[in-house]
Amino acid sequence: MAMSFEWPWQYRFPPFFTLQPNMDTRQKQLAAWCSLVLSFCRLHKQSSMTVMEAQESPLFNNVKLQRKLPVESIQIVLEELRKKGNLEWLDKNKSSFLIMWRRPEEWGKLIYQWVSRSGQNNSVFTLYELTCGEDTEDEEFHGLDEATLLRALQALQQEHKAEIITVSDGRGVKFF
Amino acid sequence: MLGVGDFYYELGVQIIEVCLALKHRNGGLITLEELHQQVLKGRGKFAQDVSQDDLIRAIKKLKALGTGFSIIPVGGTYLIQSVPAELNMDHTVVLQLAEKSGYVTVSDIKATLKWETERARQVLEHLLKEGLAWLDLQAPGEAHYWLPALFTDLYSQEITADEAREALP
């Protein structure tokens, strides 16, 4: 897990792990945290997490610096991400969440662009074909996790650009 | 006075650009060293070399124009203030105290400056309010107040694309 991830300067700045009392400073702090969470999860290909995992992850716990973001503040960061559309709670107790470094609408747009570009409107795909098929190897959404994919397709469905259907052994989607 | 094409005029413009780009990180307070590094970076290989004295001269000219710049002596060097925050002598003296380690505590202030607790607290609250300091509640002993402007790790940080955009008028 120790890949060459470039931590931002704030990560080595001790007060970054204390929720700032000054509102302007807090806004900057939260924006930096949101950005850090998304790039960390993107690099580590992590699409979901529990709050317990988050607390102990190097993301919120800088062992070398001896600072960790307290759980109440982690909750505030997660709420910011939810408001921005990058996070969805997976349970009522808010103990685990889906994290999407790109919002579902943005993924939906990319997928639909590929469908149109390759002249495949009115075609049917299985979810597997979309994210693991040869045809999509060069696309950014290749390898996308199923939970995020479904939400992306749901976004397209809302725009009447797609319909999620049942196929022989699971789910698929038809594009219009 | 300054004239267009004047060396110090152009340098002044560069200084303003760097300060604008980094303002959201350090609240408008920057060490002369960091300013110097960033200005040199922006000048490229073929530009005339610039010394710290040149920077001070250019900033003094900017001051004379009423731009809100001020120069604060701290521990043998200077802090350059580019955003007109309300800083009085008490604030300045605490900044000087913070220069050594990048942070300051109420105890540091009481021990070195012999102030009452309340006076020390007021100054630190003000620095927080002006966005010049951040609060650290996980430091050993008592709350530490850190100044991003003095955080030496920042020196190695490139100005990001977002920050460069901030610098455009």
Side-chain angles (χ1 to χ4, degrees), chain B residues 47-62:
Chain B
Q48 226 180 322
D49 215 0
V50 152
S51 70
Q52 291 190 0
D53 277 343
D54 288 328
L55 291 179
I56 296 286
R57 251 187 224 120
I59 293 167
K60 284 189 173 152
K61 297 203 173 202
L62 285 172

Side-chain angles (χ1 to χ4, degrees), chain A:
Chain A
M1 253 266 269
M3 309 183 196
S4 63
F5 178 68
E6 276 222 37
W7 296 102
W9 70 268
Q10 290 94 333
Y11 187 72
R12 277 179 288 270
F13 189 51
F16 190 51
F17 296 81
T18 298
L19 190 65
Q20 292 304 302
N22 175 278
M23 281 309 158
D24 290 331
T25 306
R26 182 183 298 193
Q27 266 187 355
K28 293 183 198 163
Q29 179 187 28
L30 289 177
W33 271 114
C34 287
S35 192
L36 176 55
V37 170
L38 293 180
S39 21
F40 181 90
C41 290
R42 176 183 180 177
L43 189 85
H44 291 83
K45 299 211 196 300
Q46 192 146 8
S47 58
S48 65
M49 233 194 230
T50 66
V51 174
M52 299 227 74
E53 278 176 330
Q55 279 179 271
E56 295 312 312
S57 158
L59 179 54
F60 291 112
N61 181 7
N62 186 335
V63 178
K64 192 162 154 209
L65 200 67
Q66 295 184 292
R67 297 286 188 280
K68 55 197 301 192
L69 196 65
V71 70
E72 308 79 32
S73 306
I74 294 179
Q75 297 283 7
I76 293 177
V77 172
L78 297 179
E79 174 58 15
E80 282 300 299
L81 285 165
R82 188 199 62 79
K83 281 196 275 195
K84 287 162 67 154
N86 294 106
L87 182 148
E88 200 183 298
W89 290 108
L90 292 171
D91 63 322
K92 274 203 194 80
N93 299 324
K94 297 197 180 177
S95 66
S96 74
F97 55 92
L98 184 66
I99 187 82
M100 301 166 282
W101 64 269
R102 252 208 190 98
R103 289 174 11 252
E105 299 75 25
E106 293 165 338
W107 281 120
K109 196 164 160 198
L110 278 178
I111 293 170
Y112 193 74
Q113 278 173 356
W114 172 75
V115 166
S116 306
R117 239 186 10 242
S118 49
Q120 299 188 81
N121 302 65
N122 290 305
S123 306
V124 172
F125 295 86
T126 63
L127 299 192
Y128 181 83
E129 278 175 322
L130 271 184
T131 57
C132 305
E134 271 179 8
D135 288 345
T136 66
E137 255 166 25
D138 294 328
E139 300 305 311
E140 284 206 54
F141 54 84
H142 189 85
L144 191 60
D145 67 283
E146 189 170 301
T148 307
L149 173 65
L150 267 174
R151 280 152 181 81
L153 296 176
Q154 276 157 4
L156 284 177
Q157 196 164 248
Q158 294 259 12
E159 293 174 56
H160 308 292
K161 290 191 170 144
E163 190 186 330
I164 299 172
I165 57 181
T166 327
V167 292
S168 46
D169 55 349
R171 271 175 299 195
V173 56
K174 176 169 182 173
F175 292 101
F176 302 118

